[in-house]
Amino acid sequence: MKTMYVIENTATGKYYRKLGVEAHQYTDIRYATPFSKWKKAKQKADILHAAISPIGEQINFEVKQHKFYVLKNRNDKGYMNQASYSAPKDKAIMFASEEDAKREAIDLATAMARVGVELSFKVEEL
């Protein structure tokens, strides 16, 4: 099991999501950008805090541990996207909740069955 971290904006209860080099947004936990190292998440949280402190905003950012899940196929490969059902697990799409991962596994299996392809995944916690 791999520990992952997210950054919470404590004023809004929303989570940091990286969109680009300098672009980001605050969103639901399902779309939060996970960090594999606490130190890296803490550094980013400190940068976010320093960027808004000069404008007088009293917003704090807290680094929190969070469980993420991936879908694995029978060959122990992860689901990456509609075109790749067998990516390395570290490239697989991560789901913020086990329920989201299970729902996606069912939806994928159902969609593929309609075109005659048998596909199944199991949910694994990172």
Side-chain angles (χ1 to χ4, degrees), residues 78-89:
Y79 166 69
M80 189 164 81
N81 59 37
Q82 300 294 344
S84 176
Y85 296 112
S86 60
K89 283 191 288 185

Side-chain angles (χ1 to χ4, degrees), residues 10-123:
T10 60
T12 63
K14 298 286 186 176
Y15 294 85
Y16 167 82
R17 178 180 184 189
K18 181 178 180 176
L19 297 175
V21 176
E22 296 294 322
H24 68 272
Q25 67 180 186
Y26 298 102
T27 185
D28 184 87
I29 187 69
R30 292 181 297 163
Y31 306 107
T33 296
F35 294 83
S36 59
K37 294 186 175 13
W38 180 88
K39 184 177 181 180
K40 193 156 180 89
K42 177 66 172 140
Q43 287 172 337
K44 185 61 180 182
D46 290 345
I47 290 168
L48 293 169
H49 183 75
I52 61 164
S53 291
I55 61 173
E57 294 292 323
Q58 296 299 314
I59 297 173
N60 290 311
F61 297 94
E62 188 175 312
V63 175
K64 294 185 167 188
Q65 194 171 343
H66 188 78
K67 293 179 184 177
F68 284 88
Y69 301 85
V70 294
L71 301 180
K72 286 185 3 184
N73 67 19
R74 66 178 177 256
N75 298 321
D76 202 33
K77 298 289 185 178
Y79 166 69
M80 189 164 81
N81 59 37
Q82 300 294 344
S84 176
Y85 296 112
S86 60
K89 283 191 288 185
D90 63 337
K91 303 283 187 225
I93 292 176
M94 289 186 286
F95 296 90
S97 73
E98 189 173 13
E99 294 78 26
D100 287 345
K102 286 178 180 177
R103 189 175 319 107
E104 183 71 9
I106 291 167
D107 290 350
L108 285 169
T110 303
M112 294 307 288
R114 288 185 187 130
V115 295
V117 176
E118 184 180 326
L119 184 68
S120 66
F121 293 99
K122 68 179 182 177
V123 175

